[in-house]
């Protein structure tokens, strides 16, 4: 199945000069969405994670679907002021700005194997921030998975040391 054909390029969104890869056509196609989640899960068949950690908002779409499929827990990483219990936070750079993300401090345990998931890898800032948060709590990174990698932004370079699995490469 050609998943790339269901990713739409939007020029100058959300800022001039950005080519935004819109995943909504893929999400709206039931067979394609199902296939995309299956492809991501297959990459981690031998990783044996106990939890998936993903950042809002688009990370939740694939993170929650994968957690359901793999029958493991899901940990939401959220923007400030959204999580009700005690949190740790991280501020990171994005392709089009900076942002802060928070995670509940009891969400992952020391030594627990965690799979970090997102819809898309651009500069790598978001994943780097989430990985830093997870490691703050002494958890082990079992893998990093995205549906789409924007090869031309070289985000993987900022995530050296981690093995990133990407289903679709856009370059
Ligand atoms: C998008 C996307 C990734 C991140 C990738 O999220 O869902 O999380 O950007 O970019 P990076 O590799 O340069 O960090 P965004 O912050 O736009 O928020 P959203 O999921 O709420 O749309
Ligand atoms: N997140 C960060 N950069 C992006 C891009 N170019 N397209 C879609 N999502 C993004």
């Amino acid at each position: 199945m050609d998943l790339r054909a269901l990713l739409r390029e939007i020029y100058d969104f959300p800022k001039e000069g950005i080519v935004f890869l819109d995943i909504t056509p893929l999400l709206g196609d039931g067979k394609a969405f199902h296939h995309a989640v299956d492809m991501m899960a297959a990459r981690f068949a031998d990783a044996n994670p106990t939890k998936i950690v993903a950042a809002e908002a688009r990370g939740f779409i694939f993170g929650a679907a994968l957690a359901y499929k793999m029958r493991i827990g899901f940990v939401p990483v959220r923007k400030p002021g959204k999580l009700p219990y005690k949190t740790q936070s991280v501020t990171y750079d994005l392709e089009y700005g900076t942002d802060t993300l928070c995670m509940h401090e009891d969400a992952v345990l020391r030594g627990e194997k965690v799979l970090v998931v997102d819809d898309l890898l651009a500069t790598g800032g978001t994943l780097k921030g989430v990985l830093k948060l997870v490691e703050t709590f002494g958890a082990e990174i079992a893998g990093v998975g995205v549906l789409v990698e924007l090869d031309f932004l070289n985000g993987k370079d900022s995530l050296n040391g981690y093995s990133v699995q990407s289903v679709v490469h856009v370059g």
Side-chain angles (χ1 to χ4, degrees), residues 109-168:
L109 306 174
R110 182 162 294 279
E112 186 165 21
K113 285 178 88 177
V114 166
L115 179 56
V116 175
V117 168
D118 210 340
D119 67 319
L120 182 139
L121 168 62
T123 64
T126 305
L127 279 173
K128 215 169 134 187
V130 174
L131 288 162
K132 199 168 148 189
L133 265 180
V134 170
E135 288 182 333
T136 302
F137 299 107
E140 188 188 321
I141 305 299
V144 182
V146 295
L147 176 70
V148 187
E149 177 173 351
L150 303 185
D151 291 339
F152 58 92
L153 290 173
N154 300 313
K156 247 180 199 164
D157 294 351
S158 68
L159 300 172
N160 50 8
Y162 300 100
S163 145
V164 182
Q165 297 289 326
S166 315
V167 173
V168 180

Side-chain angles (χ1 to χ4, degrees), residues 18-22 58 94-96 119-120 122 150 152-153:
I18 303 286
V19 181
F20 191 91
L21 251 284
D22 178 16
R58 281 176 274 155
L94 266 175
E95 195 185 358
Y96 34 76
D119 67 319
L120 182 139
L150 303 185
F152 58 92
L153 290 173

Side-chain angles (χ1 to χ4, degrees), residues 41-99:
R43 304 288 176 108
F44 301 103
D46 301 321
N48 295 316
T50 49
K51 291 221 176 94
I52 285 181
V53 175
E56 78 171 287
R58 281 176 274 155
F60 286 4
I61 300 166
F62 289 96
L66 267 178
Y68 180 81
K69 182 169 176 70
M70 296 170 84
R71 296 174 183 268
I72 59 177
F74 176 77
V75 175
V77 171
R78 301 211 59 185
K79 306 265 160 76
K82 296 289 184 183
L83 289 170
Y85 186 58
K86 286 178 266 181
T87 60
Q88 285 274 357
S89 66
V90 68
T91 297
Y92 59 98
D93 293 321
L94 266 175
E95 195 185 358
Y96 34 76
T98 66
D99 224 334

